[in-house]
Amino acid sequence: MNFSSVLKNGFSLKTEAKKRNRRIWVEVIKVLTSSDIIFFILDARDPLGCWCNLLKKKINNAKKKKIIILNKSDLVPRWVISKWIKIFSKDNLIIAFNSHKKKFSGKGSIFNLIRHFKRSEFPLKKNFIIGIIGYPNVGKSTLINSLKGKKVVLASSKTGETKVWQFIKLFKNIYIIDSPGIIPNLFANDSIKLIRGYLGFDKISKKKFRNFFDL
């Protein structure tokens, strides 16, 4: 393969990635504009790694109330969760959640918060809508299935399973919108993308795959 074909292939991959990212952001903006409140999902193992300032800015510009869901909280020690809650609660409402431990899942806290917002801020609104937003593989679909009590959306460790927004009825007159995972930085290091779960192994070349494990 000559240099021009390598350059062409690299350019086409970047172009394809840009188009896919643009399509995802269109879906995310639709969720933002259609929702009454936003659940911003973070992975408790790496909250800062899946924090997106651009998304925060878009939520604020849309004048939507943002609630941070610190998901997969059963995968880190409780004292770590307490530290993150202390940090994020300075400027945000935050709930720690996991889908495996029924007694301390955080499910009840989320339901109470939903009912509180519906009664206090949207008492005359017939249909109350919650938008679910976050990076790939932070557990957005698993959260929805857990809240619903059954599988209503596809949850997968493979990135990009949710391609368009999905509308799900949670209770009477209360709905959830699932959104595709945001791709934060198209040109970030592939090693970082792999570790944080928003790049699949099938999306990198064999050479890069070898280099990753040689680090």
Side-chain angles (χ1 to χ4, degrees):
M1 186 180 289
N2 58 36
F3 175 76
S4 60
S5 13
V6 170
L7 188 63
K8 184 178 179 181
N9 288 339
F11 180 76
S12 63
L13 285 173
K14 288 182 179 180
T15 304
E16 181 185 344
K18 283 183 178 179
K19 287 180 180 178
R20 184 171 66 251
N21 200 39
R22 192 179 299 117
R23 174 184 57 77
I24 288 170
W25 273 106
V26 167
E27 296 298 316
V28 169
I29 296 303
K30 280 162 48 177
V31 172
L32 276 177
T33 55
S34 303
S35 302
D36 297 307
I37 64 172
I38 299 297
F39 282 1
F40 188 177
I41 316 301
L42 302 179
D43 189 325
R45 296 169 297 179
D46 184 19
L48 295 181
C50 46
W51 177 263
C52 181
N53 283 323
L54 177 59
L55 180 56
K56 178 187 174 184
K57 183 178 178 181
K58 288 184 180 295
I59 294 171
N60 292 340
N61 289 344
K63 297 182 179 177
K64 305 289 181 176
K65 180 71 72 174
K66 173 178 85 277
I67 296 92
I68 292 176
I69 307 295
L70 200 58
N71 203 14
K72 306 183 184 182
S73 61
D74 56 316
L75 300 180
V76 295
R78 286 191 182 182
W79 67 267
V80 175
I81 295 296
S82 298
K83 291 285 187 182
W84 284 123
I85 288 175
K86 186 177 180 180
I87 290 168
F88 282 108
S89 61
K90 292 177 182 177
D91 301 306
N92 307 276
L93 283 170
I94 180 168
I95 295 175
F97 178 84
N98 75 82
S99 59
H100 299 293
K101 295 181 180 178
K102 292 182 180 179
K103 191 175 180 181
F104 302 105
S105 68
K107 190 173 178 178
S109 299
I110 291 177
F111 286 156
N112 289 337
L113 193 64
I114 291 171
R115 294 187 185 102
H116 167 74
F117 275 109
K118 177 70 174 70
R119 286 195 303 264
S120 63
E121 300 199 21
F122 302 91
L124 302 179
K125 198 170 188 297
K126 183 178 179 181
N127 293 322
F128 182 66
I129 301 172
I130 305 149
I132 306 290
I133 287 175
Y135 281 10
N137 285 338
V138 293
K140 297 186 297 298
S141 298
T142 302
L143 168 69
I144 292 170
N145 290 336
S146 182
L147 294 178
K148 185 65 180 174
K150 61 181 181 180
K151 187 174 181 178
V152 289
V153 292
L154 179 63
S156 172
S157 59
K158 183 181 178 182
T159 60
E161 286 298 314
T162 305
K163 293 181 172 58
V164 294
W165 70 340
Q166 302 178 71
F167 216 77
I168 301 104
K169 183 176 182 179
L170 186 59
F171 309 126
K172 182 181 178 182
N173 299 331
I174 296 179
Y175 297 86
I176 287 178
I177 308 178
D178 190 15
S179 64
I182 303 155
I183 307 298
N185 187 347
L186 290 176
F187 307 110
N189 185 284
D190 282 347
S191 302
I192 299 299
K193 291 182 182 180
L194 283 167
I195 290 169
R196 288 180 175 162
Y198 48 82
L199 178 68
F201 282 105
D202 58 326
K203 300 297 183 183
I204 60 174
S205 67
K206 290 182 179 179
K207 182 178 179 181
K208 285 186 177 181
F209 185 83
R210 287 195 300 271
N211 289 341
F212 174 74
F213 286 101
D214 288 338
L215 292 176

